[in-house]
Amino acid sequence: MINSFVSSAQADETEKVLTVTTMDSAIDLTPFINIYEDATKKLTYKDFSNPKAGQQFKPLNKAANFGFSESAWWVKLRIVNHHEKIQRVTIRQNYPLIDYVDFHSQQHNNTWISYSTGDRREFSTRPINFMEFLFPIELLPNTETTIFMRFESSGPINIGLDLQSETSLFDTVSSNHLITGIYYGGFIILVFYNLLLFIAIKDRTFIYYLLYLASYGLFFAVMNGLAFQYFWPASPWLANQSLIILLSLSLIWSLQFSRSILSIKDISPVSNHITSGLIIVSTIPLFISPFVSYRLIIIPMSIITILCTVQLMAMGFIAFSRGSKPARYYLVAWSTLLIGIFAYMLKSFGILPHNTWTQNGQQIGSLIEMVLLSLAMSSKVNEYKKGSYIDSLTNLPNRRSFDERFSKEFDNVKGHKQGLLSLLIIDVDNFKHYNDKYGHSQGDEALKFVGKKLQSTARKNTIPSRYGGEEFAVILPNTSSEQAHTIGERIRSKIESDNAQQHNLTVSVGVATLEENNFASHHQLFEAADQALYYAKENGRNRTECFNTTIKDRRTTSC
């Protein structure tokens, strides 16, 4: 990766020195960091400018990740340029959420170039207009350059330094913008996509997901410094408070979205109560963050985040165990994100090193999560689509489903100019009187009972539907008039016998059959079956009658 000779040597028996010749790509500075902890927070770079004071620095020998620390941390870098020309390079600090970052570079005439920046200072204090910290320096030929950097923050102190050549810096910035563009391009597409779904379907699940996407997408913009650069560069206070606010909103809407898409309220009331409690807890930081220091609130906020992630996974497993289809995509989606979250949290507490994977773990996981959650939402849309064709009371196909299927079956027979198609129209006898006598609740149970008998009594290739009210329809492909009459009688007698001891529920059945092109349209076939049903009602109910098109007055006769 480095097309040059790079070596480290011991100086003053303790300090590490980076020696470079020609630089064509970035150099990780972690192995060359000399570190000093300033518990007083009062030292300046001048206190280390003499050789004896500088010996207080010790080689790091590990990742420069100190978690939440009350101290200020000083970094000393000694870089020797063995090239014959001046090398213009940039030192990059890749973690943007550090309150105060001070940079001091010693020049050949013993003067110093200093920059004081950080996300508690206005964005204009940065020497290069970029969301990460970039400090340009010149390495003079055959000269050692000494650099001191001071880090202080109420949040985690993660020091991730590298030395960038002009070429590698261009590549780094370009790659960073490409990744950011891909992420937020997908994010914006998903926001508008789910907004359109919400407008079309009017279900709260989609608006919860939309709010989750918006808050979490903005949260990442704060995390990677993009929001500070473009949204509020003159407001360090808002740059820091927005992190807590958006994290709280992300937790609230992720919990609300999850219990909605997984229907947790119906399948696990206990888990639903736990989720409600966590939503309340996650709301508290929204109100207290303006009055409490970042250091005091960020650690409890981290613990709340861990508890919420555990609950999110628990809801997924509960829903998956109950057969929820969206739960399959949901579990995989959240697993990828939660792995990234835990990696980032462990890095924040100093357990894992600060590197590209731990720093961007949430964003990497989020990219995968958004795609998979879109699949979960698609599954939800399919459920809605299916639900729009299913009668919620009887669980049979509804009128819409019947109309589409009946028309299709009719056209199929007419198109081939052969085959048979029969239709049963079934109506519950005296249903209004039944409702008045036994109540609407028992009326609903009666309709459910009829629906179950249609499903269990009819043949496998039959298509029963609830047409509306107390009326049902059964499409019978490849069924003659005689066979349809037999099926109708079987259904009628089964309903009568199985319910006789309760409320004497009975039905009347009308039958019509398409054969030899005796009907010009499916509407005519339906009207014929309906006339047969009417005839059954006129002749005493609780009977099956067939329509016979050979009779001129279109009266019905026995099949």
Side-chain angles (χ1 to χ4, degrees):
M1 297 190 43
I2 305 173
N3 187 20
S4 64
F5 173 74
V6 181
S7 63
S8 61
Q10 294 294 333
D12 301 331
E13 298 180 350
T14 56
E15 292 183 3
K16 291 184 177 181
V17 178
L18 170 64
T19 302
V20 298
T21 54
T22 301
M23 278 190 57
D24 291 328
S25 57
I27 300 173
D28 182 10
L29 292 177
T30 302
F32 307 100
I33 287 177
N34 302 287
I35 201 77
Y36 179 79
E37 182 179 4
D38 175 18
T40 66
K41 300 183 183 179
K42 296 180 179 180
L43 298 177
T44 69
Y45 74 96
K46 293 181 180 180
D47 295 316
F48 302 112
S49 59
N50 67 75
K52 288 186 178 181
Q55 291 177 7
Q56 297 178 76
F57 286 84
K58 303 298 180 183
L60 183 61
N61 296 322
K62 63 176 183 178
N65 178 18
F66 305 105
F68 296 92
S69 175
E70 297 286 346
S71 303
W73 291 84
W74 284 86
V75 167
K76 182 180 181 181
L77 295 168
R78 299 175 60 188
I79 306 174
V80 177
N81 178 20
H82 276 183
H83 198 265
E84 298 298 326
K85 296 181 180 180
I86 295 176
Q87 297 197 67
R88 293 177 176 82
V89 296
T90 301
I91 290 181
R92 170 176 168 255
Q93 160 63 24
N94 61 15
Y95 180 61
L97 300 182
I98 296 182
D99 292 349
Y100 304 102
V101 180
D102 298 300
F103 180 91
H104 310 280
S105 175
Q106 187 179 27
Q107 304 301 294
H108 67 284
N109 56 0
N110 289 325
T111 60
W112 292 80
I113 292 179
S114 298
Y115 303 104
S116 294
T117 184
D119 74 347
R120 288 284 180 180
R121 295 172 173 135
E122 291 189 9
F123 196 84
S124 59
T125 60
R126 304 192 182 194
I128 296 178
N129 188 36
F130 191 60
M131 56 189 181
E132 297 173 340
F133 300 110
L134 300 177
F135 303 99
I137 59 172
E138 288 186 348
L139 302 178
L140 298 178
N142 299 308
T143 303
E144 178 180 311
T145 301
T146 301
I147 296 166
F148 291 104
M149 296 183 70
R150 181 183 183 274
F151 299 87
E152 180 186 347
S153 186
S154 55
I157 295 181
N158 300 314
I159 303 174
L161 297 173
D162 53 46
L163 188 67
Q164 300 273 352
S165 66
E166 291 181 340
T167 302
S168 66
L169 180 61
F170 178 81
D171 292 339
T172 298
V173 172
S174 298
S175 299
N176 196 304
H177 284 167
L178 177 62
I179 293 171
T180 303
I182 292 173
Y183 178 83
Y184 287 104
F187 159 73
I188 292 171
I189 289 172
L190 284 172
V191 167
F192 279 101
Y193 172 72
N194 283 278
L195 179 61
L196 292 174
L197 285 178
F198 172 70
I199 293 172
I201 299 177
K202 300 293 192 301
D203 185 83
R204 292 181 180 180
T205 304
F206 294 93
I207 199 66
Y208 293 150
Y209 185 51
L210 181 66
L211 291 169
Y212 164 68
L213 282 177
S215 56
Y216 206 37
L218 290 173
F219 171 74
F220 274 125
V222 174
M223 287 287 294
N224 59 27
L226 197 67
F228 192 20
Q229 181 179 1
Y230 291 106
F231 297 158
W232 37 75
S235 179
W237 180 87
L238 186 56
N240 285 269
Q241 292 301 316
S242 60
L243 185 70
I244 299 297
I245 293 171
L246 290 169
L247 179 56
S248 295
L249 290 174
S250 298
L251 294 175
I252 291 168
W253 295 122
S254 64
L255 289 166
Q256 189 65 47
F257 160 71
S258 297
R259 71 173 176 181
S260 179
I261 193 173
L262 299 174
S263 302
I264 289 297
K265 185 177 181 179
D266 297 327
I267 65 178
S268 179
V270 173
S271 183
N272 184 60
H273 291 320
I274 293 173
T275 302
S276 298
L278 286 173
I279 289 175
I280 294 172
V281 172
S282 299
T283 305
I284 296 174
L286 289 174
F287 301 100
I288 68 172
S289 61
F291 313 103
V292 179
S293 70
Y294 182 85
R295 183 181 297 278
L296 289 177
I297 199 171
I298 189 61
I299 294 179
M301 196 70 217
S302 301
I303 296 172
I304 292 172
T305 301
I306 293 175
L307 293 175
C308 289
T309 56
V310 171
Q311 177 61 11
L312 289 170
M313 289 300 292
M315 284 193 288
F317 281 113
I318 291 171
F320 180 77
S321 66
R322 303 294 175 85
S324 170
K325 291 183 179 180
R328 295 177 296 180
Y329 299 107
Y330 172 92
L331 277 175
V332 179
W334 280 103
S335 295
T336 57
L337 178 60
L338 297 186
I339 290 171
I341 289 176
F342 276 116
Y344 180 82
M345 298 302 298
L346 292 175
K347 179 217 64 163
S348 298
F349 284 103
I351 299 173
L352 290 179
H354 173 78
N355 54 41
T356 301
W357 296 104
T358 55
Q359 168 61 17
N360 298 303
Q362 293 185 80
Q363 191 161 344
I364 294 170
S366 177
L367 282 171
I368 302 172
E369 179 230 20
M370 285 196 297
V371 174
L372 293 174
L373 281 183
S374 295
L375 294 177
M377 295 301 288
S378 297
S379 178
K380 188 76 172 178
V381 171
N382 289 334
E383 286 188 354
Y384 276 101
K385 185 177 180 180
K386 181 181 178 181
S388 67
Y389 285 88
I390 298 296
D391 174 60
S392 59
L393 180 64
T394 62
N395 207 32
L396 289 173
N398 60 15
R399 167 74 177 272
R400 179 181 179 183
S401 177
F402 168 80
D403 287 341
E404 292 184 10
R405 187 62 182 270
F406 184 46
S407 174
K408 182 178 178 180
E409 292 291 340
F410 186 92
D411 292 341
N412 185 51
V413 174
K414 291 283 286 186
H416 290 85
K417 297 182 179 180
Q418 60 181 355
L420 300 169
L421 178 65
S422 291
L423 177 67
L424 306 182
I425 302 295
I426 302 169
D427 187 82
V428 179
D429 294 329
N430 298 313
F431 187 69
K432 185 180 183 305
H433 175 72
Y434 187 97
N435 254 340
D436 293 340
K437 183 176 181 180
Y438 300 110
H440 290 285
S441 176
Q442 284 298 317
D444 288 345
E445 292 301 319
L447 295 177
K448 290 180 183 179
F449 172 79
V450 173
K452 289 180 181 178
K453 293 305 171 185
L454 290 181
Q455 290 177 317
S456 62
T457 308
R459 299 180 307 184
K460 288 185 178 181
N461 64 334
T462 60
I463 308 167
S465 305
R466 184 185 179 190
Y467 190 76
E470 67 272 22
E471 198 167 57
F472 297 81
V474 182
I475 304 171
L476 303 171
N478 301 316
T479 306
S480 67
S481 181
E482 291 77 9
Q483 291 172 326
H485 181 270
T486 301
I487 294 171
E489 269 296 291
R490 186 191 308 140
I491 293 171
R492 183 202 61 77
S493 61
K494 191 69 174 174
I495 291 173
E496 180 184 22
S497 61
D498 288 359
N499 201 52
Q501 295 181 352
Q502 295 183 10
H503 304 306
N504 295 318
L505 186 71
T506 63
V507 296
S508 298
V509 183
V511 182
T513 302
L514 171 65
E515 51 187 345
E516 298 179 355
N517 293 322
N518 55 342
F519 293 104
S521 69
H522 65 280
H523 298 292
Q524 290 184 4
L525 178 59
F526 183 87
E527 289 173 1
D530 198 43
Q531 287 184 30
L533 172 65
Y534 181 75
Y535 186 74
K537 293 281 190 181
E538 279 190 331
N539 285 272
R541 296 185 174 84
N542 192 23
R543 60 191 296 141
T544 302
E545 295 290 349
C546 291
F547 183 86
N548 191 332
T549 58
T550 61
I551 299 178
K552 292 182 180 180
D553 61 2
R554 300 182 69 84
R555 295 285 303 274
T556 58
T557 63
S558 172
C559 294

